[in-house]
Amino acid sequence: MKKLLLLTAIALASSSSFATDLSTIYRQAASNDADIAAARSTRESTRYNTDIARSALLPQAQAQYSYTSINADAHFGSTDVNNNYELGSLQLSASQTLFNLNSWYTWQAAKTADQGYDLQLQLSEQQLLLSTAQAYFNVLRAQENLTTAEAEEKAVKRSLEQTKQRFDVGLIAITEVQEAQASYDLTKVNLLSLQAALDISYEALETLTGQRYDNLSSLRENLPMLMPEPANVDDWVNTGLEKYPGVQMAMIQKQTVGQQRDAARARHLPTVSLGASYTTGDNAPTSSYPNVYDAEVTTVGVNVSVPLLAGGSIYAQSKQAAVNYATADYQLESNRRQVRQSIRSLYRQLQTSVQNIDARKQAITSARSAMDATETGYQVGTRNIVEVLNAQKNVYSAERDYANARYDYIINLLSLKFYAGTLNETDIDALNAWLAG
């Protein structure tokens, strides 16, 4: 029985200590994210738009059958006439558009727009990649900040206890105890805030995946945080202008609206169609033919329609389409400017992060040395508690800055690839290799 309990305890301990990595969470997000599911469903629906638009150019056919029962009573002086009969008629008709530029450009616009829906799905998938990584590393960031705050709270609490002991034996004034108490209270408030921030970051991750996590794989200490290739920011800008789905979608939108403008203009032009019909059925009696008789009629012809006047609607639609095209052009330029600005800004932030990470790591060592010296001076009476507290604060601030710089580097790197249009699952797998098992 004892062995069974021991094995159960070991199994539970190993289960609780199992850390979930980034790749696992991304796969769960990809299969559970509601936005991606909606984007894929929308994409399936929009695939039919091209077929719907093309149908106006393809043959049309229909069949129509009618049945009529007639009971006629007539009175001519003293004469009553009853005429009862039934009529049945079957009509088959078909038509084929020969010339209709409005329908043609509408079909072309639908085909062009269909490419935009593919890009929209691609953008949604890349956004999920970025969002998942951001949510994951925000949890790790919150964990490190909380761990640092807990260590700071313990250090300040220890300093407060030492200060009270020194005051009790008359070595220091009450003001130093008050300074230490105030610093400790602020540290406790900050600790509570960071605990809430960690819970919130876990909630954000759960929103993406639909699952709750208790333990994530942490970021390894020694990582190759270097500038990405290519080393020229202009190359990144050019790649973004060419590959970023947002810019490509704006280009597709401009092309689509241009074709819709051409379709609106084509409403002024004639349309030509070929039509044929076959009708067979009963005909009502006449003065020449007093009985119901059968007849068959076959027609074949070409129909030409020229719009002459539509109350100004055709002109207004044409002008409206031209304005929409200008709007699409402005939106394309706005997207391009946004991509340029985002890529240049992220590239500069990456440069700063790469330069600062090693310096911030060294700053931790320097701050710790300064804190040790200050605490030693406090023990011998050459330093006061305010200096000790400031030295401790500098150490933990340096640790937080170093941790945040590393996470900022990762998020900025992914964001740079996102706006360059090159972010994919390979980047997630590469980041996964940076995590401790």
Side-chain angles (χ1 to χ4, degrees):
M1 184 64 179
K2 290 183 178 180
K3 283 186 177 182
L4 178 59
L5 292 175
L6 180 60
L7 290 174
T8 302
I10 293 174
L12 291 174
S14 62
S15 175
S16 62
S17 63
F18 175 75
T20 308
D21 61 19
L22 178 59
S23 293
T24 300
I25 287 182
Y26 169 70
R27 288 193 295 269
Q28 293 171 345
S31 60
N32 290 280
D33 185 71
D35 291 336
I36 286 292
R40 289 171 179 164
S41 179
T42 300
R43 181 64 192 101
E44 288 300 314
S45 173
T46 55
R47 290 188 189 278
Y48 298 102
N49 289 342
T50 302
D51 295 335
I52 294 172
R54 186 179 58 180
S55 65
L57 299 170
L58 298 178
Q60 311 288 318
Q62 63 179 358
Q64 181 179 353
Y65 177 78
S66 64
Y67 170 81
T68 306
S69 177
I70 299 174
N71 186 359
D73 294 326
H75 302 279
F76 299 97
S78 61
T79 304
D80 294 334
V81 177
N82 295 321
N83 197 0
N84 301 324
Y85 56 91
E86 297 177 347
L87 300 177
S89 176
L90 174 66
Q91 182 184 52
L92 302 176
S93 60
S95 64
Q96 169 62 57
T97 298
L98 300 180
F99 179 81
N100 189 329
L101 278 183
N102 176 267
S103 297
W104 169 265
Y105 282 121
T106 300
W107 176 40
Q108 297 304 308
K111 289 198 300 183
T112 304
D114 191 63
Q115 302 174 32
Y117 296 123
D118 284 330
L119 291 170
Q120 179 62 62
L121 179 57
Q122 179 183 342
L123 180 61
S124 297
E125 291 172 344
Q126 291 191 0
Q127 286 175 331
L128 179 63
L129 283 165
L130 181 60
S131 299
T132 303
Q134 287 176 330
Y136 185 94
F137 288 110
N138 281 341
V139 171
L140 297 188
R141 185 199 299 266
Q143 285 178 335
E144 285 205 43
N145 287 337
L146 179 60
T147 299
T148 301
E150 290 172 341
E152 183 178 10
E153 187 265 344
K154 290 180 181 178
V156 174
K157 183 178 182 181
R158 185 171 59 252
S159 296
L160 174 61
E161 292 171 349
Q162 293 175 350
T163 304
K164 287 180 177 179
Q165 293 173 358
R166 291 170 67 86
F167 171 74
D168 290 340
V169 297
L171 295 178
I172 58 174
I174 188 61
T175 54
E176 293 201 27
V177 176
Q178 293 170 341
E179 290 282 356
Q181 183 66 54
S183 180
Y184 177 72
D185 292 340
L186 290 174
T187 304
K188 287 289 290 183
V189 170
N190 183 54
L191 184 61
L192 294 174
S193 176
L194 291 175
Q195 287 172 340
L198 178 60
D199 290 338
I200 292 172
S201 66
Y202 268 118
E203 291 291 341
L205 194 61
E206 183 179 355
T207 300
L208 289 174
T209 62
Q211 298 186 36
R212 181 72 180 182
Y213 304 95
D214 298 323
N215 191 14
L216 302 183
S217 298
S218 59
L219 195 63
R220 291 193 288 111
E221 179 61 29
N222 297 321
L223 298 174
M225 293 188 173
L226 306 173
M227 287 301 296
E229 293 293 336
N232 188 344
V233 66
D234 290 332
D235 292 335
W236 285 95
V237 170
N238 293 334
T239 300
L241 295 177
E242 178 184 352
K243 295 183 178 181
Y244 177 58
V247 172
Q248 291 181 311
M249 286 169 57
M251 294 174 63
I252 291 295
Q253 177 65 14
K254 178 183 175 181
Q255 186 178 351
T256 300
V257 173
Q259 291 164 335
Q260 291 172 344
R261 176 199 58 186
D262 295 338
R265 290 174 176 174
R267 290 172 64 89
H268 291 280
L269 301 177
T271 60
V272 182
S273 62
L274 175 65
S277 67
Y278 169 77
T279 304
T280 181
D282 301 323
N283 286 267
T286 65
S287 58
S288 302
Y289 299 96
N291 298 317
V292 175
Y293 63 96
D294 296 332
E296 293 184 0
V297 179
T298 302
T299 63
V300 177
V302 175
N303 179 51
V304 179
S305 176
V306 181
L308 297 178
L309 185 64
S313 64
I314 296 178
Y315 174 81
Q317 289 172 0
S318 179
K319 289 297 182 181
Q320 183 184 54
V323 174
N324 290 340
Y325 181 76
T327 301
D329 189 39
Y330 295 139
Q331 290 174 340
L332 173 59
E333 180 59 26
S334 176
N335 272 271
R336 286 171 171 166
R337 291 179 182 180
Q338 179 186 0
V339 168
R340 289 191 190 99
Q341 188 273 332
S342 297
I343 288 179
R344 292 186 183 279
S345 176
L346 289 166
Y347 191 86
R348 172 58 63 184
Q349 292 178 45
L350 276 172
Q351 284 182 323
T352 303
S353 297
V354 170
Q355 294 168 358
N356 286 347
I357 285 176
D358 290 339
R360 291 188 183 281
K361 187 175 183 180
Q362 180 59 42
I364 296 175
T365 302
S366 301
R368 286 195 174 279
S369 298
M371 182 183 69
D372 293 341
T374 303
E375 289 178 342
T376 300
Y378 180 69
Q379 295 297 329
V380 298
T382 60
R383 297 293 184 93
N384 58 40
I385 190 60
V386 174
E387 292 173 306
V388 172
L389 295 174
N390 286 338
Q392 291 174 344
K393 181 179 179 181
N394 290 338
V395 168
Y396 297 112
S397 293
E399 291 180 351
R400 280 192 293 269
D401 290 343
Y402 173 66
N404 288 330
R406 297 210 306 162
Y407 293 118
D408 288 343
Y409 168 86
I410 293 173
I411 298 303
N412 289 336
L413 178 62
L414 293 177
S415 298
L416 178 65
K417 293 184 176 183
F418 173 76
Y419 282 106
T422 60
L423 185 63
N424 55 52
E425 292 186 35
T426 304
D427 297 303
I428 295 295
D429 294 335
L431 283 178
N432 213 55
W434 288 12
L435 303 175

